[in-house]
Amino acid sequence: MLLLALACCYLCALELATRLLLPHLSQTQDRIAADYLAAKSLPRRWSDGSDSVLIVGNSLLADGIDRTHLQQGMPGYHVAVYPVEGTTYLDWYFGLRRLFSEGSRPALVILTVSVRHVLSDSTNGEAFARSMMKMSDLMSVSAAAKLNMMSTSIYFFASLSEWLGTRVWIRDGLLAEWLPRAPLLAARLTTRGAAIPLTAVPLAAARLQKMRDLCNSHGAGFALLIPPELGAGDLAAALVAEAAQLGVTVLLPFRPGEMPPVDFRDGFHLNARGAAHFSERTALVIRRAFPLSGMPP
Amino acid sequence: MFFDSTVYLVFLFLVTLLYWRLRLRAQNCFLLLASYFFYGWWDWRFLLLMGTSTVVDFWVGRGLDKFTDLRRRRALLILSLAVNFSFLGFFKYCNFFVDSFAHLAALLGLKGIPASLWQIVLPPAISFYTFQEIAYIVDVYHRKIKSADSLVDYALFVSLFPHLIAGPIQRPSHLLPQVQQPRVWDPAKAFDGMILILEGLFRKVVIADNCALIANAAFSGNFGGPSFVTVVLGTVAFAWQIYGDFSGYSSIARGSAQLLGFHFMVNFRQPYLAQSLQDFWRRWHMSLSSWLRDYLYIPLGGNRQGRARTYVNLMLTMLLGGLWHGANWTFVVWGGIHGAGLAVERFLTGGSEIRDSGAFIARWLRRCLVFAIVCVAWIFFREPSFAGAFHQLAGLFAWEWQPVYGVALEFLGVFVAMLFVVDLGLESSSTEYLLADRSLAQRVGMGVTACALITLLGANQSNAFIYFRF
């Protein structure tokens, strides 16, 4: 009984400490929390007449967009950037459902992930369950991500606990403190799948159409923004064409292989120089695709 | 349910709470339902399969006890073995043998032999509960134990949830009497059980899951093509991953059983401190190795029929032991490497045991040699094909160094060192868990430390226990 009582006390303390301290200890968590609050309270139009643009995505967005540069390149728009590392299509499909239900009303939503991420069937696990999923969506998530009962129950408990939802961050943060060079490993520990065949493009387009319908049903426009890739390939261009047939906008500021290797940090993510170039051109293509006069009323 | 999931801990807590409020018969019925619920959580359809083999073996056991006529008893034994092996053979090995036959036919120039017949899903735990049931039937046949009187008791013996999915494979003579007799709540044992669960979680989520990150990256080529460093890195990481994973599972199983008043046999005893392969197999997956010894090696003749036959028996036992792990020839080779190693060792020592003696350096050299052989065998266990395994082995002769290898070694070293220190402590104390013989305060301190490590350094719940596949 003593050990049980101690275990309960320990878990309660852990949960409390995670809720109270983590946002102050982790810059990433602090940033995500601030971006989430900003995204949740987005009005369609601000008092100065600017339209809200919500840009969501994963680390390709976090590292790829220079917020100041982007905002400067988009006068008349109020840009809110909300990147969450490790997320893919499903995270954002359900993440947007939650944001909309919590009152977010952007005029335009831009999802910034690679084509591979659009086709991914996985989610960001417990972190997604805690911070992006509505509890009422649990069974839909389970079906969409093809979860078994075991994984569904993990998501259920994670949605209730801040510690479960953020424990991967806590561990990574501790390891980074303990082994300062550990983050260097991160890129090698992620196994990237085989090359995606062109035959998968219709599925990606259909998914984007579904996300567009979700955004439209809440009065928002939608587009996919494909970040620069180091290697050349025709997948992105094929998706632009396929999505266009379904009426979905896909923005491709840089063709795959177009951005020079010197602008990449690790072969996947952009460095500061690459982010400046990408932000500049992204502002331009958004303005062209969604001119202020054409934004939803 | 995975043992390292929140849902299992909630399940175990609720089951323990309700269980101790019931009397023996009700306890057994309740535990049986809980165990079936636990199993059905994966796939309820396979309950029917387990239920069928349970009922068949229960009635065969009753018949073996009742009849004295040798022919009838032998017929019953054959019936039970046929049912058990045909379930196991169909669900686990059908496509393997059909594929192998088709490949062989193709090599011989025969065409038109179809490969995999059906998409067969492997029922969880089938290898484990089948072996447990066979042990029961053989023991009843040899009149080493009496058959179970109650179907509920027997079904609980087969399906008791802590051991159901991946062992430890329980001997009927050890577990069945515990099922049949009243259990008594013992706070000291329950305390030890909780510490064992914490120790198991530490081994699984802190050690195994973190080592898995390096092993998976190395074996999938994320560090570049195989070279000496990447192969050593990947293999050592996998060696500690599988050890942390399976010994962690076994500790959680034993701890969970202890909370319910049962005692399970120890399954691991610091295997990487073994000084010979024979010693290794007395420390690694002890419930399987002793099963193979008692129900395969000894019935084959053991070491009683001359040296040559002993080597053949050793080899056969290990080859079949390898095949038990999975329907793939790489597992057979894994078993073959161990079988050959055991035979060579026996040849060199003349059958006498290598004792824990000699100079400090000699003892550690023997340990390193055994660990190296075990690691080479793990390559065949880890790789799904011979091509992959030989590709890795060829990498041992190529040299390449990248700065990230140093980081990976540092990362791996931290987690391996933690378990290594635990193992050294256990080896010197011969206790069930670290500090088990110390004061309550020290043991509580150990539990809190384990909790801290599990909650702060546990990797993501993405790696199912490796032995769940078997």
Side-chain angles (χ1 to χ4, degrees):
Chain A
M1 282 300 115
L2 174 69
L3 198 62
L4 194 64
L6 271 174
C8 288
C9 288
Y10 180 78
L11 287 175
C12 290
L14 194 67
E15 184 67 22
L16 208 62
T18 311
R19 284 171 191 248
L20 296 177
L21 297 177
L22 187 65
H24 303 292
L25 295 176
S26 160
Q27 285 182 353
T28 309
Q29 282 300 304
D30 191 29
R31 187 206 76 214
I32 291 174
D35 287 345
Y36 166 65
L37 282 177
K40 198 169 79 161
S41 53
L42 274 184
R44 174 146 304 133
R45 184 157 289 159
W46 291 78
S47 53
D48 63 359
S50 57
D51 288 318
S52 292
V53 178
L54 173 61
I55 306 184
V56 297
N58 52 25
S59 57
L60 297 177
L61 171 66
D63 290 353
I65 287 290
D66 178 329
R67 296 181 189 219
T68 319
H69 237 88
L70 184 70
Q71 182 63 73
Q72 282 171 353
M74 294 177 66
Y77 301 82
H78 178 100
V79 182
V81 181
Y82 177 22
V84 180
E85 282 79 353
T87 51
T88 58
Y89 168 82
L90 282 179
D91 295 291
W92 285 111
Y93 180 79
F94 290 101
L96 286 172
R97 279 176 59 92
R98 175 162 156 179
L99 278 176
F100 287 136
S101 74
E102 288 173 341
S104 182
R105 288 292 175 269
L108 175 64
V109 174
I110 297 177
L111 172 69
T112 310
V113 295
S114 67
V115 181
R116 176 183 295 281
H117 294 141
V118 174
L119 286 162
S120 170
D121 279 334
S122 64
T123 70
N124 198 22
E126 291 172 315
F128 156 75
R130 175 66 187 164
S131 59
M132 299 177 79
M133 182 189 82
K134 271 196 300 178
M135 179 65 104
S136 56
D137 276 342
L138 179 64
M139 295 321 288
S140 310
V141 169
S142 177
K146 303 181 179 82
L147 303 180
N148 57 21
M149 293 236 292
M150 183 70 242
S151 304
T152 308
S153 69
I154 288 173
Y155 278 41
F156 170 77
F157 286 110
S159 71
L160 301 175
S161 159
E162 189 69 16
W163 166 61
L164 285 173
T166 53
R167 67 196 188 98
V168 177
W169 294 103
I170 297 172
R171 170 187 168 276
D172 290 351
L174 277 173
L175 280 176
E177 287 290 320
W178 197 5
L179 302 170
R181 296 194 298 162
L184 289 176
L185 265 179
R188 304 293 189 106
L189 298 183
T190 311
T191 301
R192 292 170 205 278
I196 296 170
L198 280 172
T199 48
V201 167
L203 173 64
R207 286 186 160 194
L208 295 177
Q209 187 185 26
K210 198 175 166 194
M211 195 174 259
R212 185 212 49 198
D213 292 346
L214 170 71
C215 293
N216 288 174
S217 67
H218 291 86
F222 170 76
L224 171 75
L225 171 67
I226 300 181
E229 287 174 32
L230 188 57
D234 42 12
L235 203 62
L239 181 60
V240 173
E242 184 80 24
Q245 287 183 15
L246 299 173
V248 181
T249 307
V250 175
L251 308 170
L252 188 62
F254 285 86
R255 290 186 314 279
E258 185 187 347
M259 191 168 261
V262 70
D263 285 345
F264 287 86
R265 175 166 58 84
D266 57 7
F268 300 99
H269 302 91
L270 297 178
N271 54 27
R273 201 183 100 129
H277 289 162
F278 181 55
S279 304
E280 204 172 300
R281 207 180 281 185
T282 296
L284 197 68
V285 294
I286 293 175
R287 284 201 331 256
R288 270 194 206 139
F290 298 95
L292 283 169
S293 55
M295 292 290 268
Chain B
M1 285 175 218
F2 297 152
F3 277 0
D4 58 339
S5 66
T6 316
V7 69
Y8 175 73
L9 298 179
V10 171
F11 168 80
L12 179 65
F13 176 73
L14 293 176
V15 167
T16 308
L17 207 67
L18 290 170
Y19 166 82
W20 285 111
R21 297 184 177 277
L22 303 170
R23 290 172 184 278
L24 176 66
R25 299 313 315 163
Q27 273 183 340
N28 283 3
C29 291
F30 173 69
L31 266 191
L32 182 62
L33 285 176
S35 298
Y36 281 179
F37 174 80
F38 173 85
Y39 189 75
W41 191 263
W42 266 288
D43 197 329
W44 58 269
R45 292 169 302 175
F46 295 126
L47 277 170
L48 192 65
L49 187 71
M50 188 168 70
T52 306
S53 73
T54 300
V55 170
V56 168
D57 286 326
F58 173 72
W59 287 111
V60 167
R62 301 290 293 158
L64 287 172
D65 243 4
K66 188 174 149 194
F67 299 124
T68 50
D69 175 27
L70 190 61
R71 277 200 312 187
R72 287 174 92 169
R73 298 186 81 242
R74 195 166 285 168
L76 280 172
L77 176 70
I78 290 168
L79 169 74
S80 165
L81 293 178
V83 169
N84 283 306
F85 281 123
S86 47
F87 281 169
L88 188 62
F90 177 76
F91 284 98
K92 188 162 179 173
Y93 299 106
C94 180
N95 278 341
F96 166 67
F97 284 121
V98 172
D99 282 350
S100 298
F101 182 70
H103 277 114
L104 183 66
L107 281 176
L108 296 173
L110 299 171
K111 289 179 182 168
I113 308 282
S116 300
L117 294 174
W118 305 284
Q119 285 289 326
I120 300 172
V121 181
L122 180 69
I126 190 168
S127 306
F128 287 92
Y129 72 71
T130 301
F131 267 34
Q132 196 157 309
E133 290 192 293
I134 289 170
Y136 168 79
I137 289 299
V138 171
D139 283 1
V140 173
Y141 176 78
H142 289 304
R143 300 209 186 276
K144 286 183 186 166
I145 56 165
K146 277 188 71 65
S147 67
D149 295 328
S150 148
L151 179 59
V152 171
D153 287 357
Y154 178 70
L156 184 58
F157 156 74
V158 173
S159 65
L160 185 61
F161 69 85
H163 75 67
L164 175 60
I165 299 297
I169 301 166
Q170 295 302 305
R171 293 306 181 80
S173 55
H174 182 67
L175 184 58
L176 200 52
Q178 294 185 61
V179 171
Q180 291 164 326
Q181 287 158 16
R183 273 85 59 183
V184 183
W185 168 255
D186 180 344
K189 281 191 175 160
F191 178 89
D192 286 348
M194 289 177 76
I195 295 281
L196 277 173
I197 292 173
L198 285 176
E199 194 214 324
L201 286 171
F202 162 75
R203 285 170 180 264
K204 165 64 180 162
V205 302
V206 180
I207 308 301
D209 287 354
N210 280 304
C211 287
L213 293 172
I214 300 292
N216 293 344
F219 276 95
S220 57
N222 288 7
F223 290 130
S227 67
F228 180 81
V229 182
T230 62
V231 175
V232 170
L233 195 63
T235 311
V236 171
F238 181 69
W240 287 89
Q241 179 202 348
I242 194 167
Y243 171 45
D245 188 282
F246 198 18
S247 64
Y249 172 88
S250 299
S251 289
I252 300 171
R254 296 184 62 233
S256 304
Q258 216 148 299
L259 282 179
L260 301 169
F262 292 94
H263 179 266
F264 282 2
M265 68 183 289
V266 177
N267 214 17
F268 287 88
R269 202 167 48 80
Q270 301 82 254
Y272 293 149
L273 295 179
Q275 295 185 46
S276 66
L277 278 177
Q278 189 185 26
D279 189 20
F280 176 80
W281 279 103
R282 284 182 182 160
R283 294 163 175 261
W284 178 273
H285 201 174
M286 292 149 75
S287 63
L288 175 70
S289 50
S290 63
W291 193 101
L292 290 172
R293 181 196 64 209
D294 294 347
Y295 296 97
L296 189 60
Y297 178 69
I298 291 175
L300 282 171
N303 56 3
R304 303 184 307 274
Q305 295 171 339
R307 290 181 79 170
R309 184 61 195 265
T310 302
Y311 301 143
V312 171
N313 290 343
L314 270 175
M315 200 65 187
L316 261 179
T317 304
M318 295 313 293
L319 288 174
L320 288 171
L323 191 60
W324 173 87
H325 281 84
N328 195 330
W329 288 109
T330 52
F331 289 114
V332 180
V333 170
W334 172 78
I337 291 172
H338 279 279
L342 285 167
V344 168
E345 200 173 90
R346 199 174 182 86
F347 176 76
L348 293 176
T349 60
S352 60
E353 264 187 56
I354 294 173
R355 297 196 182 282
D356 183 17
S357 58
F360 176 83
I361 292 178
R363 288 205 305 268
W364 279 98
L365 279 177
R366 285 200 294 265
R367 283 174 175 152
C368 289
L369 179 64
V370 171
F371 183 67
I373 295 169
V374 169
C375 279
V376 169
W378 282 138
I379 292 178
F380 287 89
F381 195 96
R382 174 65 175 73
E383 280 288 351
S385 69
F386 285 129
F390 287 119
H391 188 53
Q392 292 291 333
L393 286 172
L396 284 171
F397 302 98
W399 178 261
E400 192 196 351
W401 180 261
Q402 294 178 24
V404 75
Y405 296 167
V407 189
L409 282 168
E410 205 179 327
F411 181 91
L412 182 63
V414 166
F415 291 103
V416 168
M418 282 192 220
L419 188 49
F420 190 64
V421 167
V422 170
D423 271 9
L424 286 177
L426 287 172
E427 184 75 359
S428 60
S429 66
S430 300
T431 49
E432 284 205 37
Y433 58 85
L434 210 56
L435 307 185
D437 50 355
R438 301 297 175 86
S439 68
L440 180 68
Q442 284 175 304
R443 284 183 287 155
V444 168
M446 219 274 296
V448 172
T449 308
C451 267
L453 289 170
I454 293 160
T455 49
L456 297 177
L457 290 179
N460 203 0
Q461 287 178 337
S462 53
N463 299 299
F465 287 93
I466 293 173
Y467 268 69
F468 278 21
R469 281 182 253 154
F470 309 139

